[in-house]
Amino acid sequence: MLTRIDHVGIAVPSLSEAIPHYEEAFNLKCVHQETNERQGVREAMLLVHAGETGGSYVQLLEPLREDTPVGKFLAKRGPGIHHIAYGVDNIDAALASLTVAGFELINKTPVHGTSNSRIAFIHPRALGGVLTELVEAAAGH
Amino acid sequence: MLTRIDHVGIAVPSLSEAIPHYEEAFNLKCVHQETNERQGVREAMLLVHAGETGGSYVQLLEPLREDTPVGKFLAKRGPGIHHIAYGVDNIDAALASLTVAGFELINKTPVHGTSNSRIAFIHPRALGGVLTELVEAAAGH
């Protein structure tokens, strides 16, 4: 079902500080930035590895406002790892399989993700406190 | 410097419950288990993807005792993502580069990791609250 670790999402107070810090630490490159209004974040993707099943990234997440999931996470827990995302070939099939097995989903159908991917979150209650995202990359990504 | 996301380390109260739960959710397979006395954990590696630069895993971590890093993490924050680990080809060179750039290391020289890998942790203070591990896999892994 899973094709790779697509990214680790890290909550940060400021992208403009976190991006150069990560670039310097690991000689990474920020290859993409976008704002996702629905998720309430500005996100930056730093490429770790371009694998044969798709890329693996560090995703830095800056909340657009305090009353967003990442804004609340920062207020409650401080900066740190927010979620883990796995690549899948077919997100509809993956969600159907998880639903049949009784895993609680936040998104029962895919929503818009980074770089026009289709994504869905699994509830942390279903996976031992770990907010988990599935990502079906757009064609060409 | 980084060759892949090697694993995401997830703190769990019980491996015997968490392993089948993860296997069922994502059709993963637990390919390795070992006890690391120095780190105070029993760990299980579930293979996500065997890439050309090495494997990517979910690492489930059960503390051996309460007074261990993972035991304290569970007591303070509950189950969840504990750390992120990146693969490197040469951990000595990576640590030297991080030291020159002023990043605070927990392990200034590599210690024993999963499957005879050489690992080192970077202090979460140096990376916005994220406990980060570097992994140089043993030959053949």
Side-chain angles (χ1 to χ4, degrees):
Chain A
M1 183 192 277
L2 307 182
T3 59
R4 68 190 179 282
I5 299 178
D6 185 88
H7 65 264
V8 178
I10 297 174
V12 302
S14 159
L15 281 187
S16 62
E17 288 180 18
I19 293 170
H21 193 66
Y22 261 83
E23 288 182 328
E24 186 198 4
F26 299 120
N27 197 25
L28 296 178
K29 204 163 183 178
C30 179
V31 294
H32 181 73
Q33 285 193 55
E34 73 179 80
T35 298
N36 187 323
E37 285 288 348
R38 185 185 164 127
Q39 305 285 347
V41 288
R42 176 86 184 158
E43 48 191 50
M45 304 300 281
L46 283 73
L47 184 66
V48 174
H49 173 63
E52 74 276 20
T53 64
S56 287
Y57 302 88
V58 172
Q59 179 186 59
L60 301 174
L61 300 163
E62 177 187 322
L64 297 180
R65 295 170 302 277
E66 284 180 16
D67 64 339
T68 58
V70 174
K72 289 175 192 166
F73 179 95
L74 279 176
K76 189 176 170 193
R77 309 190 66 157
I81 303 177
H82 179 259
H83 69 272
I84 167 80
Y86 303 107
V88 293
D89 283 331
N90 183 332
I91 195 168
D92 302 294
L95 294 177
S97 159
L98 285 160
T99 300
V100 166
F103 288 86
E104 184 181 356
L105 305 176
I106 292 175
N107 305 113
K108 286 177 183 141
T109 54
V111 296
H112 176 87
T114 311
S115 300
N116 294 315
S117 59
R118 299 169 72 222
I119 65 167
F121 284 95
I122 303 165
H123 202 288
R125 270 197 298 267
L127 286 169
V130 177
L131 178 60
T132 303
E133 177 185 349
L134 300 180
V135 180
E136 181 189 305
H141 280 274
Chain B
M1 179 193 279
L2 307 183
T3 59
R4 68 190 180 280
I5 299 179
D6 184 89
H7 65 264
V8 177
I10 297 174
V12 302
S14 159
L15 281 187
S16 63
E17 288 180 18
I19 292 170
H21 194 66
Y22 260 84
E23 288 182 327
E24 186 199 3
F26 300 120
N27 197 25
L28 296 177
K29 205 163 184 178
C30 179
V31 293
H32 181 73
Q33 285 192 54
E34 73 179 80
T35 298
N36 187 323
E37 286 287 349
R38 185 186 166 128
Q39 305 286 346
V41 288
R42 175 85 184 158
E43 49 190 49
M45 304 300 279
L46 283 74
L47 184 66
V48 174
H49 172 64
E52 75 276 19
T53 63
S56 287
Y57 302 87
V58 172
Q59 180 186 59
L60 302 174
L61 300 163
E62 178 187 322
L64 297 179
R65 294 171 302 278
E66 285 182 14
D67 65 338
T68 57
V70 174
K72 289 176 192 166
F73 180 94
L74 280 175
K76 188 175 169 194
R77 310 191 64 159
I81 303 175
H82 178 260
H83 69 273
I84 167 82
Y86 303 107
V88 292
D89 284 331
N90 183 331
I91 195 167
D92 303 295
L95 293 177
S97 159
L98 285 160
T99 301
V100 166
F103 288 85
E104 184 182 355
L105 306 176
I106 292 176
N107 306 113
K108 285 178 183 139
T109 54
V111 296
H112 176 86
T114 311
S115 298
N116 295 315
S117 59
R118 299 170 72 222
I119 66 167
F121 283 95
I122 303 164
H123 201 288
R125 271 197 296 268
L127 286 169
V130 177
L131 178 60
T132 302
E133 177 185 351
L134 300 180
V135 180
E136 182 189 305
H141 280 275

